[in-house]
Amino acid sequence: MGSNTTHLLVVDAYRGGHPTPMHKEKTSLKLAERLTPSGDLSDVGTEDLIRAVQAAKDSAARLQCEEMLAFATSAVREAGNASDVLRTVAEHTGVELHVLSGDEEARLTFLAARRWFGWSAGRLLVLDIGGGSLELAMGIDEAPDLAESFPLGAGRVTRTRFSHDPPTRSEVVDTAAWLEHELSDLPRELEMFGSPDRVVATSKTFRSLARLTGAAPSSAGPRVRRTLTDTGLRQLLSFITRMTAADLAELEGVTASRAHQLVGGALVAQASMRALSCSEVEICPWALREGVILRRLDHTNGDHHVEPLTQARRGVEILS
């Protein structure tokens, strides 16, 4: 359960194997926009959440998943009535949502990137822009030495900084300056951990930005190398800041449900890359959901999976 959408990912997976996606579903809930002035998730938002969880549970049963892992990120985490919402969801659906902290998000996303790129990538620096938060993690092992979360998600920046569609020039300039200030301490924090050998970015926001600057489309497959450069991002921003959300939704690689926050996400990406003095990031197709899957599989009994070619693979369903 993310700030924008509910994702259902069904994978064929076993310990030590490559998690193979078998089925995907997505529902646009925009939970972060369902908060009341006091910061609670509204009754309507809670009802929609219950329906989405129940629909995902029904799909998991229909697809004969053996296990379901359900988790929520910043939108639920920051709701003032989060405990009540989680209890209500469990009472109506029988599903207990695990709310991830920002640090957990960063660590699990880092794990996914590490497994994707392998040990040869050296010291990894991983960036992830969600709807409500920006996660950053760096390290040379599978567990990062540094894992942080900032309240600088694409949706949050859009809601709190922009009043017009498209945003005015002053809104864009002021937001860029504000983001630079918010991330100004990053260089000092990273100094003690050394320079990264590879800077990696995950999330739909980064994938969309990379696609709009010339990266291969999703149809080319996940193993095609995709990058986002500071030059390409700067040129893209000069273009998309003059477009309405409706026009942005017509661009290839931009979904209608996220078009309104594309400019906000691009500004966060630019500010992050500038703070890190990074001229290019490589897009990683694995992110938080894959990290959750991999961590769960790490804790399974490997004795049951010593011969994956002769053993029936286990179906694991991930709802996020």
Side-chain angles (χ1 to χ4, degrees), residues 20 31-32 40 79 81-82 118 133 142 149 164 169-170 187 194 207 209 234 244 249 252-253 256 266 275 285 309 313:
T20 304
L31 290 179
D40 289 346
N81 59 340
S133 58
E142 289 204 331
S149 180
H164 303 82
R169 177 62 179 167
S170 62
R207 291 197 302 272
L209 295 173
R234 184 176 65 254
T244 66
E252 184 177 358
L309 294 180
R313 292 184 175 184

Side-chain angles (χ1 to χ4, degrees), residues 257-308:
S257 63
R258 294 175 183 266
H260 68 291
Q261 63 182 44
L262 182 66
V263 173
L267 289 172
V268 174
Q270 183 181 64
S272 303
M273 293 174 68
R274 284 181 173 176
L276 300 170
S277 299
C278 175
S279 61
E280 178 183 275
V281 295
E282 186 167 356
I283 307 301
C284 178
W286 280 4
L288 178 59
R289 286 184 295 281
E290 287 77 13
V292 172
I293 296 169
L294 293 167
R295 177 56 71 224
R296 176 66 186 90
L297 293 175
D298 284 348
H299 289 85
T300 60
N301 184 351
D303 293 341
H304 297 303
H305 307 287
V306 292
E307 296 178 355

